[in-house]
Amino acid sequence: MQLTWDLDRIYPSFQSEQFQQDRRLVETLAGELNTWSASQMNSAQDAASVMGEFLRQYNAYQHIYLRLFSYAELRFSADSSNTEAVNLMDELEEVTYGAGEALVSFSKWLAKVSADELERSIGSSVYLEQHGFYLRELKSKSEHLLSEEGEAVIARMQATGSKAWERLYMQTLSTLRVEAELDGLSRSVSLAELRNLAYDPDPAVRRAAAEAEHEACRSVAEQSAACINAVTGEAAAVYELRGYASPLHKVLEASRMDQETLQVMLQAIEESLPDFRRYYAKKAALLGHAGGLPFCDVFAPVGTAEAAAERITYAEAQAMIIAGFSRFSPELGAFARKVFEQRWIDAEPRSGKGSFGMCVDIFPVGESRIITSFNGNYIDVSVLAHEIGHAYHSSRLAGETMVNTEYPVPIAETASIFCESLIHVELLQSLPAGEAAAILERSLSDAGYYIVDFYARYGFESGLYARRKSGALSVEELNALMLESMHAAYGESVLPDSIHPYQWISKAGYYMAGNEFLNFPYSFGLLFSKGLYAQYKKRGGAFVERYEQFLSASSTRSIADAAKLMDIDVHSLAFWQDALGLIAGDIDKFTGRE
């Protein structure tokens, strides 16, 4: 069974006639859009005509651009040494400036349209009604736009600013190798391989991998500090110029999420930390530690030696995911089968690949592509299920225009984590008791990762932006902030001295320009999916159709309004407490309190 993907349906190659033709076409479309925008924004045309023509041209441009850029991005993700892919991404970003300037012009024009005229225009045609949410949201966002010249300057500067620093970081981490003593042998290993060894059943291997990771991160600390300071410094400056109160303010608006929802969720998480600390304390005892849990054992498997050493083949993982998804709905199961059979996944572990899991949706061809590293651990099955969940969510938006396919990250993580939950249940029901107990622990470990570890990441990033106002942070300051945030989350249940201070280096989200705070959305996704799963258990088949409708509507609703489709109030503390209560119940089972 092949563990690499097939990209031919996107493009056969960079040199193919189809790729080169689209490359020329996207430049033409961007130019035509920019020319039209410059001539029509102040014309005497009625508002509805301007809106309709802009949307048609912008959707056509995005249709070609996304296909081209996604292909280059996928080629680079699979091989970070692919300079042709890097150069093409740079060239395509140059092309976006013309279209970006047109979008800014349209947004500035839309800001001057009265609310009444906007509503009359939207109601004047089916096409504009289909884009009503996008137009209203764009008008709201236009309040944070600078002048057209200012936005154009920022876009051009970012190509050699934050985006260049991001690529430097990604390339540095994906090619980083360090010598490590593993199983009595000295090996040259990548950071991705070291991260995977955190799940190894041998405590000596986990400890050696943690020490090697510490050394690997330390070796690129100064370079990584330069990257993180550049990316966050630019973000803070640009968002301040645009009138946002903070980068978090910008992220919440982009996430279609309000401050109240975030604060209520964080309050519930803070209240739940003692439960997670009970889990880590019990895990420490089961692993033979007299005190707290060493951080290198936070993700260690727990159970019999046989269960800990258990491996699963890629074919078995495929069968398990298809079966688990099919039990939820035949449509989801058939979709997973198509993903595997049509080779949408690059699961082969190799040097030059990042350690992250990622799903790239290519709406112009109605497909997605998934990159991950499958090493035969049961956690790898969960990662596959997670990424296929992303792809399934996108498939529910088939037929939408390009601007109507954008959904906020917290909701995106809901679909993927819900699919993980389905597979965890499949594992618990299909494995012998000893192995099922190990899977229960694995589920709690994953929950701790999304709740406790991401709470620490949120704390670190909040502190980073607060302190970045006073200037760049040194490696020592970044380390201190990381340790402070980790201790606030894990408490004394994890030995403070065992946490290496360079955790900020191995978290790619901090370096992704324009994607700040890639932490709390994952916590939201886990907890929201827990609440949805509880509804599924109560409603059965009646839930499935409504859930699919919810996914289909997620790109044209705020989070609060989308949640209402499932009878959920995200401002209710009780909702988040109930979701965390499901995890606490599993912790009770694990600790023997039940």
Side-chain angles (χ1 to χ4, degrees), residues 328-348:
F328 174 74
S329 80
E331 186 175 357
L332 180 56
F335 179 81
R337 185 182 301 279
K338 180 174 75 171
V339 168
F340 284 110
E341 290 181 349
Q342 295 187 3
R343 292 176 54 207
W344 289 13
I345 305 172
D346 185 337
E348 180 184 61

Side-chain angles (χ1 to χ4, degrees), residues 67-123:
R67 184 171 182 173
L68 288 166
F69 191 86
S70 295
Y71 182 70
E73 182 183 22
L74 290 167
R75 292 284 300 272
F76 174 72
S77 298
D79 177 10
S80 62
S81 66
N82 190 326
T83 55
E84 186 176 18
V86 174
N87 292 336
L88 280 166
M89 285 192 288
D90 286 342
E91 290 177 19
L92 287 168
E93 285 181 356
E94 286 286 336
V95 174
T96 65
Y97 297 142
E101 289 171 4
L103 178 60
V104 171
S105 296
F106 179 71
S107 299
K108 299 291 282 187
W109 172 86
L110 193 61
K112 300 174 185 176
V113 175
S114 70
D116 288 343
E117 187 173 10
L118 175 63
E119 293 306 318
R120 282 196 300 272
S121 297
I122 290 173

Side-chain angles (χ1 to χ4, degrees), residues 382-432:
S382 295
V383 173
L384 281 171
H386 181 104
E387 300 303 337
I388 294 172
H390 279 303
Y392 182 68
H393 189 170
S394 298
S395 76
R396 300 301 307 170
L397 301 174
E400 291 283 0
T401 61
M402 294 303 298
V403 299
N404 277 348
T405 58
E406 299 177 7
Y407 47 83
V409 174
I411 292 295
E413 292 309 320
T414 300
S416 54
I417 296 172
F418 186 88
C419 282
E420 276 191 71
S421 298
L422 293 174
I423 295 308
H424 280 146
V425 171
E426 184 74 12
L427 289 166
L428 289 172
Q429 291 178 345
S430 63
L431 295 175

Side-chain angles (χ1 to χ4, degrees), residues 265 268-269 417 451 522-532 575-576 579-580 583:
M265 183 185 74
I269 287 174
I417 296 172
I451 301 300
Y522 290 83
S523 304
F524 180 103
L526 173 70
L527 296 177
F528 194 74
S529 69
K530 287 286 184 183
L532 287 175
F575 168 74
W576 302 105
L580 284 157
I583 302 173

Side-chain angles (χ1 to χ4, degrees), residues 109-414:
W109 172 86
L110 193 61
K112 300 174 185 176
V113 175
S114 70
D116 288 343
E117 187 173 10
L118 175 63
E119 293 306 318
R120 282 196 300 272
S121 297
I122 290 173
S124 69
S125 76
V126 173
Y127 185 70
L128 290 180
E129 283 182 347
Q130 291 172 344
H131 294 87
F133 180 84
Y134 175 80
L135 290 167
R136 295 182 186 100
E137 185 176 50
L138 193 61
K139 180 175 173 60
S140 176
K141 288 179 177 179
S142 67
E143 298 174 3
H144 295 290
L145 286 176
L146 304 178
S147 67
E148 294 173 28
E149 294 79 8
E151 290 295 335
V153 168
I154 287 174
R156 291 185 180 276
M157 292 296 291
Q158 285 178 328
T160 53
S162 59
K163 292 180 181 178
W165 286 105
E166 176 189 344
R167 282 196 292 274
L168 173 62
Y169 164 82
M170 294 295 185
Q171 189 169 27
T172 299
L173 269 287
S174 62
T175 58
L176 180 62
R177 301 190 73 82
V178 66
E179 292 294 321
E181 289 287 335
L182 301 169
D183 296 322
L185 298 173
S186 180
R187 290 169 47 197
S188 175
V189 290
S190 67
L191 190 60
E193 291 171 308
L194 291 174
R195 296 300 301 157
N196 285 327
L197 290 174
Y199 300 94
D200 195 274
D202 187 340
V205 169
R206 295 195 301 271
R207 186 167 54 253
E211 292 170 356
E213 181 188 343
H214 177 277
E215 177 57 28
C217 289
R218 188 197 63 77
S219 71
V220 295
E222 293 293 343
Q223 185 170 323
S224 298
C227 293
I228 201 171
N229 278 303
V231 171
T232 57
E234 179 186 281
V238 168
Y239 296 145
E240 182 179 2
L241 286 172
R242 288 177 174 157
Y244 289 103
S246 65
L248 178 61
H249 176 206
K250 174 264 179 183
V251 172
L252 286 171
E253 286 204 1
S255 299
R256 301 171 187 165
M257 183 174 176
D258 55 47
Q259 184 73 35
E260 182 181 357
T261 300
L262 177 61
Q263 291 306 122
V264 170
M265 183 185 74
L266 289 174
Q267 179 183 342
I269 287 174
E270 289 168 5
E271 292 173 359
S272 75
L273 291 177
D275 288 321
F276 285 100
R277 290 167 184 169
R278 282 195 296 117
Y279 155 66
Y280 291 123
K282 178 64 174 181
K283 184 166 186 172
L286 291 174
L287 292 174
H289 300 295
L293 183 68
F295 192 72
C296 65
D297 284 347
V298 164
F299 302 111
V302 171
T304 64
E306 293 78 11
E310 185 73 19
R311 288 292 184 269
I312 185 170
T313 67
Y314 191 66
E316 290 169 337
Q318 172 181 327
M320 183 176 294
I321 289 172
I322 292 172
F325 285 4
S326 296
R327 267 184 266 281
F328 174 74
S329 80
E331 186 175 357
L332 180 56
F335 179 81
R337 185 182 301 279
K338 180 174 75 171
V339 168
F340 284 110
E341 290 181 349
Q342 295 187 3
R343 292 176 54 207
W344 289 13
I345 305 172
D346 185 337
E348 180 184 61
R350 60 179 181 272
S351 179
K353 250 178 97 170
S355 60
F356 49 84
M358 180 176 71
C359 176
V360 175
D361 302 313
I362 310 101
F363 288 104
V365 298
E367 297 181 2
S368 300
R369 290 297 183 272
I370 291 164
I371 188 166
T372 184
S373 293
F374 188 86
N375 293 280
N377 300 309
Y378 278 105
I379 186 65
D380 297 333
V381 186
S382 295
V383 173
L384 281 171
H386 181 104
E387 300 303 337
I388 294 172
H390 279 303
Y392 182 68
H393 189 170
S394 298
S395 76
R396 300 301 307 170
L397 301 174
E400 291 283 0
T401 61
M402 294 303 298
V403 299
N404 277 348
T405 58
E406 299 177 7
Y407 47 83
V409 174
I411 292 295
E413 292 309 320
T414 300

